[in-house]
């Protein structure tokens, strides 16, 4: 019943911006920490950043100052605003969330991923 879906990826020039969305749907009791990960070709999946329910954030050194994570608890949605994009930001971006469904237990959910390509 519970689903997590990313959107907003695409092709952008170096120095440009993109905003990704991560929307949770279904019979949700609560959502705790949400996170963004990314995986570039030939590389391990890495943590981009996290955001708690109270909107405290943490970022990887590689994106700090350029990326901003936010969330709208009323909409069960998290966002990743990406500015000053570099070619090395090219990756599939994944959303992760700790979700407790109605009448169930909390576990991690993953979105399907959205491709971000930074190229001139």
């Amino acid at each position: 019943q519970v689903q997590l879906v990313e959107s907003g990826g695409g092709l952008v020039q170096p120095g440009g911006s993109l905003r990704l969305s991560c929307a949770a749907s279904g019979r949700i009791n609560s959502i705790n920490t949400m996170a963004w990960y990314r995986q570039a070709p030939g590389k391990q999946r890495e943590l981009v950043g996290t955001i708690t329910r109270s909107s405290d954030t943490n970022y990887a050194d590689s994106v700090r100052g350029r990326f901003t994570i936010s969330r709208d608890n009323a909409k069960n949605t998290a966002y990743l605003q990406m500015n000053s994009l570099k070619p090395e930001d090219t990756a599939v971006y994944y959303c992760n969330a700790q979700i407790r469904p109605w009448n169930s237990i909390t576990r991690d959910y993953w979105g399907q991923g959205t491709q971000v390509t930074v190229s001139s």
Side-chain angles (χ1 to χ4, degrees):
Q1 293 296 109
V2 173
Q3 297 183 83
L4 206 59
V5 179
E6 303 98 334
S7 61
L11 175 65
V12 65
Q13 295 184 105
S17 298
L18 280 176
R19 191 192 195 203
L20 307 183
S21 297
C22 171
S25 62
R27 299 291 300 274
I28 296 170
N29 181 282
S30 63
I31 303 176
N32 294 319
T33 298
M34 305 182 78
W36 287 96
Y37 289 77
R38 67 184 183 184
Q39 188 166 24
K43 293 186 176 181
Q44 301 274 21
R45 185 173 298 188
E46 65 174 342
L47 179 65
V48 174
T50 62
I51 184 166
T52 68
R53 182 168 176 81
S54 59
S55 293
D56 292 322
T57 55
N58 184 52
Y59 300 95
D61 289 342
S62 59
V63 306
R64 188 176 294 109
R66 299 187 299 120
F67 291 11
T68 302
I69 300 173
S70 60
R71 66 189 287 171
D72 185 334
N73 291 334
K75 296 180 179 179
N76 288 334
T77 300
Y79 305 94
L80 179 64
Q81 178 67 47
M82 303 184 293
N83 299 324
S84 301
L85 282 161
K86 305 174 181 179
E88 50 263 45
D89 295 318
T90 296
V92 177
Y93 284 72
Y94 297 91
C95 182
N96 171 271
Q98 296 177 333
I99 301 175
R100 182 182 181 183
W102 178 83
N103 202 30
S104 189
I105 61 172
T106 300
R107 73 168 182 88
D108 284 347
Y109 287 80
W110 288 90
Q112 82 289 347
T114 185
Q115 177 71 47
V116 172
T117 302
V118 185
S119 177
S120 59

